[in-house]
Amino acid sequence: AQSVTQLDSQVPVFEEAPVELRCNYSSSVSVYLFWYVQYPNQGLQLLLKYLSGSTLVKGINGFEAEFNKSQTSFHLRKPSVHISDTAEYFCAVSPNAGGTSYGKLTFGQGTILTVHP
Amino acid sequence: DTGVSQDPRHKITKRGQNVTFRCDPISEHNRLYWYRQTLGQGPEFLTYFQNEAQLEKSRLLSDRFSAERPKGSFSTLEIQRTEQGDSAMYLCASRPGTGRETQYFGPGTRLLVL
């Protein structure tokens, strides 16, 4: 089984400031890791994913995340945020081995990022 | 290329009524997932189809819930005898056959049970 903990439920930040959204996970099997963004009244859009290889992953809209296996973390970062980045962000994992749960996503509780002018 | 679509986008119903939601995945995506998202929470897995076969169901899916995917194309999620606790956003996602691929989410159906 997998679980995901997003350590901050809300993160306020000023425009053009850097931001880090924290994510820790627990799993008895190897996993793929994802960050999704959800704008109000919309579905989820993939920001980035870690499947294998380099632990620093770059995504859309200037976001990046670093996979740290020893700390079981996958924190999301952006060096300079915009007003338009205001949204809810979800960290998720899925097993990367075979079986019926292959590909099933387990999400964290979400972090609401609010960018102030 | 159209994305995942869901219908209706919003549904208000009275307690005890039955509701049915539809999800049309991206064409040729053989994996289809249903998730439920309550206010202030992340999406929670409900069930999963590979083609027309329902391969996994969450314990969250009580016997009042049923999902189908006839012919491996669109899927329906039915809730019988709705309860106020069923009020949530119901999200559908699809992906191609390999686990490395992204799940693409639809806009969701927001259900309110009065």
Side-chain angles (χ1 to χ4, degrees):
Chain A
Q2 294 78 46
S3 68
V4 177
T5 302
Q6 292 183 238
L7 298 163
D8 306 292
S9 59
Q10 297 191 48
V11 173
V13 64
F14 286 110
E15 193 174 18
E16 298 183 4
V19 71
E20 178 180 79
L21 307 184
R22 297 179 294 167
C23 171
N24 287 96
Y25 71 93
S26 173
S27 177
S28 56
V29 300
S30 294
V31 294
Y32 298 136
L33 298 120
F34 305 82
W35 274 98
Y36 281 85
V37 61
Q38 186 175 36
Y39 298 100
N41 298 313
Q42 295 186 26
L44 286 85
Q45 178 183 4
L46 182 72
L47 278 178
L48 48 79
K49 59 186 176 184
Y50 173 78
L51 304 179
S52 63
S54 172
T55 57
L56 183 62
V57 179
K58 294 190 182 296
I60 63 171
N61 300 340
F63 284 93
E64 64 181 31
E66 185 154 21
F67 170 51
N68 188 318
K69 188 173 182 178
S70 62
Q71 297 185 4
T72 60
S73 68
F74 190 53
H75 301 332
L76 180 71
R77 301 185 183 99
K78 186 169 182 178
S80 176
V81 295
H82 302 289
I83 297 286
S84 59
D85 293 323
T86 295
E88 190 161 18
Y89 293 78
F90 292 95
C91 181
V93 301
S94 72
N96 67 10
T100 57
S101 294
Y102 188 47
K104 181 180 81 175
L105 289 168
T106 299
F107 287 87
Q109 305 93 318
T111 297
I112 297 173
L113 174 65
T114 304
V115 181
H116 298 280
Chain B
D1 177 34
T2 58
V4 178
S5 61
Q6 293 187 245
D7 183 68
R9 293 289 308 276
H10 304 274
K11 179 70 177 179
I12 301 174
T13 190
K14 293 182 179 179
R15 189 176 53 187
Q17 299 294 305
N18 300 343
V19 294
T20 300
F21 309 141
R22 177 181 170 121
C23 170
D24 286 90
I26 294 171
S27 60
E28 299 178 357
H29 280 192
N30 65 353
R31 311 285 175 113
L32 187 148
Y33 300 80
W34 285 98
Y35 295 86
R36 181 172 70 185
Q37 184 179 19
T38 53
L39 204 61
Q41 300 295 318
E44 296 173 292
F45 170 78
L46 291 179
T47 190
Y48 152 53
F49 290 85
Q50 180 176 326
N51 298 312
E52 66 276 8
Q54 188 174 18
L55 295 188
E56 188 173 351
K57 292 170 62 173
S58 164
R59 285 170 292 179
L60 292 174
L61 217 62
S62 74
D63 56 6
R64 297 185 297 105
F65 288 72
S66 62
E68 295 182 339
R69 193 184 182 195
K71 303 179 182 179
S73 56
F74 71 92
S75 176
T76 58
L77 177 68
E78 181 183 16
I79 309 174
Q80 296 182 329
R81 305 181 304 281
T82 53
E83 302 173 356
Q84 288 185 328
D86 297 330
S87 295
M89 174 82 90
Y90 290 84
L91 294 164
C92 176
S94 71
R95 68 172 176 88
T98 62
R100 296 173 71 89
E101 296 292 337
T102 302
Q103 284 190 33
Y104 295 87
F105 281 81
T109 295
R110 185 172 294 281
L111 172 66
L112 178 61
V113 182
L114 301 176

